[in-house]
Structure formats: C-alpha cells, structure tokens
Amino acid sequence: MKLSTNHLLGIKDLTPQDIRLILDTAQQFKEVLQRPVKKVPSLRDVTVVNLFFENSTRTRISFELAEKRLSADVLNFTSSASSVSKGETMLDTVNNILSMKVDMVVLRHSASGAPHFLAKHISAAIINAGDGINEHPTQALLDALSMEEALGGSLNGKKIAIIGDIMHSRVALSNIYLLTKLGAEVTVAGPPTLIPKYISEAFGVKVSYNIKETLQWCDIANVLRIQLERQNQPLFSSLREYNLAYGISRKLLESLGKKVVIMHPGPINRGVELDSDVADGHESIILQQVENGVAVRMAVLYLLANRES
Ligand code: NCD
C-alpha cells in the first residue's frame, strides 16, 4: 500500500486509510526499535534535510533519530545560524540546499502555510514539522498511536478531550482532523478566549469551558501548552489564575472517581496547565508519546520515500 500524497503537509489532506497505513507501519518500526540492532537500510542513499526556522527540542531530535535509524544521510539547518539572518528568503535557502541533491525536506516554520508554499515550488518530498498555528501532523500521528496503545485498540467512538490553548495550537488542529477522521468523539476545553468561536460548526467537535466536566466525560485528555509567544495581548488574567481554573491537579484527578489518561506534546509549563505530580503520575503517557514519535516519523519518511521509487 502507498500513501495518497507525495508530501505530509497536514492531516487535513490524509485519508483515513493513509492514517491507518502510517500507524500500522509505525507499529512495525516500533518492533525494530526494540531490537539490539535498531538500524535498518530502508533510506540508504536518501538525503534528508531538517530545516528548522523555529525552535524545537523533541521534534528535531526525533526526526534526526528516525532518519538515522533508517540509514538516511542527514543534514541539519537552524535559521539562527544561517544566511536567513542576512536576509535570504526561505525559497532561496531551500533551493540552494536542494541543488546539492537533497531528496526530502523536514520543515518547521513560524509562518502557517510555509510547507504548502514550498511544495508548490520544489520537487523534493516535504514533511511539515509544525507550521505556525496551522498543523503539526507527525505530532497528531504519534498522539494517535499512543492513544491506541493506551486504550488497547481503535479510537472509533472513543472520547478524547483536547484541553488548553486551542486557538494557538497546531497540535490541537492536527489532533482534531485526525481524531474525527478515525471516528473519535472530540471535546475541546479551556477558557473561552483560547477557543475559536466557530470551531464546533467548522470541525464537528464539542466545546466545554469546564475542565472537571470534560475530564469526567473523556477517556483521554490531551493537555496543551499555553502558547504565550503567540499571544499579542493577554487572553487570561494570570498564569496562576489559569492554573486554578483550567490546570489539572492531582486533587482534581482524584475527585473524578475514574481514570483518565493524561497526554501532553511538550514542552510542559509545569504548574500551569499540568501540575508536576500529574505530569509525572501513573496516568501520564507523556514519555511514551516521545518514544512513539521516532517510530511514527520513521514510518512517514519510509512511506514518502517509497512513493517516489
Ligand atoms: C509542540 C509544537 O511545537 O507545536 N511541541 C512539540 O512539537 N512537541 C507544542 C508546543 O510547542 O506547545
């Protein structure tokens, strides 16, 4: 089976079959990663450049590790150490790199739509590693794999809450596309100022401003970071008050009388959206998410490279 697309620009463009293929392939790579020899030759002679125009820890390392486990040749680019600071455009930067015979581009950029723009102008396969407040498809895929593992099977009919700064989160949008395509029920929850007004009509999700009710309803809570760097003006009174009204504490979890799986894409603002004893608690699968990230990215790289051949 092959993907229906040459690039991974967003979950929006994937069919449910594409998503299934990526998750099943990732599961196979997860098995490979348990072996003493974790490296496979699948991407030998394929050159991948990781173009990061915006800060990243997990995603950049995860992609690099996935590429190396697949035996690809890997180049790393960070805009702060490049000619971008001398005024070079993104397209010029990329075309210069591609003229050195690079096959695949992993792009993170603060502008929404940057990978879609690039896809119109270059022939290499592009993987979106996060574009502004638009999408972060590999995060949603690794979230889905982690959710399936936590619930022991299909997400069809499962109740998933996405909690926090929905407005500025590319993880939220990619999760919403993916979860609804796989038939899950989705509720977004947080302060009214951090939830887009017509999200319910546009995406078929429920909206709640009450965290306790949302936790009582859901099987899994995917909790998101407050993206202060994307807020031009304050959208709530203070981090302390955010934590009191919308943060998840041990006391709150214990008052539910049921188990809720806790997820977070990282980086966590400890004591804001999640208290430390919840982030590190037995309900949390945050580090499994990071582990699954490598297998999911291996699957995406492998499937896109395979389409070309
Ligand atoms: C997310 C991102 O960069 O969009 N982090 C990540 O990739 N693990 C979420 C965030 O920054 O809050």
Side-chain angles (χ1 to χ4, degrees):
M1 269 191 52
K2 289 196 172 185
L3 291 176
S4 69
T5 160
N6 289 327
H7 307 284
L8 179 60
L9 301 179
I11 303 292
K12 187 180 182 197
D13 313 315
L14 298 184
T15 63
Q17 292 74 20
D18 288 329
I19 296 170
R20 196 65 265 152
L21 177 61
I22 295 170
L23 296 179
D24 290 347
T25 309
Q27 230 138 25
Q28 288 165 20
F29 280 124
K30 246 195 117 166
E31 280 163 36
V32 171
L33 293 174
Q34 310 301 323
R35 296 183 195 154
V37 179
K38 298 176 187 60
K39 208 161 168 162
V40 289
S42 317
L43 255 66
R44 209 160 56 195
D45 290 329
V46 175
T47 306
V48 187
V49 61
N50 299 313
L51 283 173
F52 279 70
F53 288 85
E54 196 192 73
N55 294 345
S56 170
T57 309
R58 265 158 295 271
T59 307
R60 197 171 55 75
I61 289 178
S62 180
F63 266 110
E64 188 173 345
L65 201 55
E67 291 149 7
K68 288 183 167 160
R69 300 275 196 242
L70 291 168
S71 308
D73 291 323
V74 181
L75 298 169
N76 285 308
F77 165 97
T78 35
S79 60
S80 55
S82 76
S83 291
V84 171
S85 54
K86 298 180 191 167
E88 186 169 65
T89 66
M90 176 178 72
L91 191 54
D92 276 344
T93 304
V94 175
N95 272 328
N96 275 277
I97 294 171
L98 292 182
S99 67
M100 299 183 228
K101 305 280 173 277
V102 169
D103 306 294
M104 297 178 95
V105 174
V106 175
L107 178 72
R108 169 168 286 198
H109 203 287
S110 56
S112 300
H116 309 69
F117 166 80
L118 213 55
K120 290 205 179 97
H121 291 91
I122 67 169
S123 58
I126 299 172
I127 300 174
N128 180 2
D131 65 319
I133 58 166
N134 181 40
E135 281 220 49
H136 190 354
T138 56
Q139 180 69 44
L141 288 158
L142 75 88
D143 287 346
L145 182 64
S146 311
M147 289 175 191
E148 286 188 345
E149 282 177 359
L151 298 177
S154 159
L155 297 180
N156 189 26
K158 294 293 180 331
K159 298 185 168 77
I160 315 290
I162 306 172
I163 299 178
D165 188 350
I166 310 299
M167 178 95 83
H168 302 99
S169 171
R170 52 198 176 204
V171 179
L173 189 56
S174 285
N175 260 267
I176 289 170
Y177 279 130
L178 191 152
L179 293 167
T180 50
K181 282 180 197 233
L182 290 191
E185 286 180 46
V186 179
T187 293
V188 295
T193 48
L194 293 182
I195 298 184
K197 258 194 198 128
Y198 300 106
I199 193 164
S200 190
E201 293 86 328
F203 296 99
V205 299
K206 295 196 199 92
V207 174
S208 169
Y209 306 123
N210 185 312
I211 299 302
K212 186 166 180 180
E213 275 172 24
T214 304
L215 290 172
Q216 236 135 18
W217 169 83
C218 70
D219 302 306
I220 297 185
N222 199 357
V223 186
L224 304 177
R225 183 174 68 87
I226 300 299
Q227 313 249 326
L228 285 176
E229 76 278 20
R230 299 192 203 279
Q231 298 178 15
N232 301 326
Q233 54 199 26
L235 290 169
F236 51 88
S237 45
S238 71
L239 290 176
R240 174 91 194 106
E241 276 179 346
Y242 181 89
N243 178 253
L244 287 174
Y246 302 101
I248 301 183
S249 65
R250 165 96 2 241
K251 197 167 147 224
L252 175 57
L253 279 188
E254 249 131 56
S255 74
L256 302 175
K258 59 169 270 208
K259 192 191 160 190
V260 175
V261 176
I262 300 290
M263 300 175 60
H264 193 299
I268 305 168
N269 287 313
R270 285 176 181 260
V272 180
E273 64 263 3
L274 274 186
D275 285 358
S276 265
D277 52 1
V278 173
D280 306 327
H282 61 95
E283 306 89 345
S284 161
I285 58 164
I286 293 171
L287 293 178
Q288 281 99 301
Q289 289 175 259
V290 179
E291 184 188 339
N292 283 338
V294 179
V296 158
R297 290 176 175 120
M298 285 172 83
V300 169
L301 287 156
Y302 170 79
L303 290 167
L304 286 179
N306 210 33
R307 256 192 79 78
E308 302 285 296
S309 59

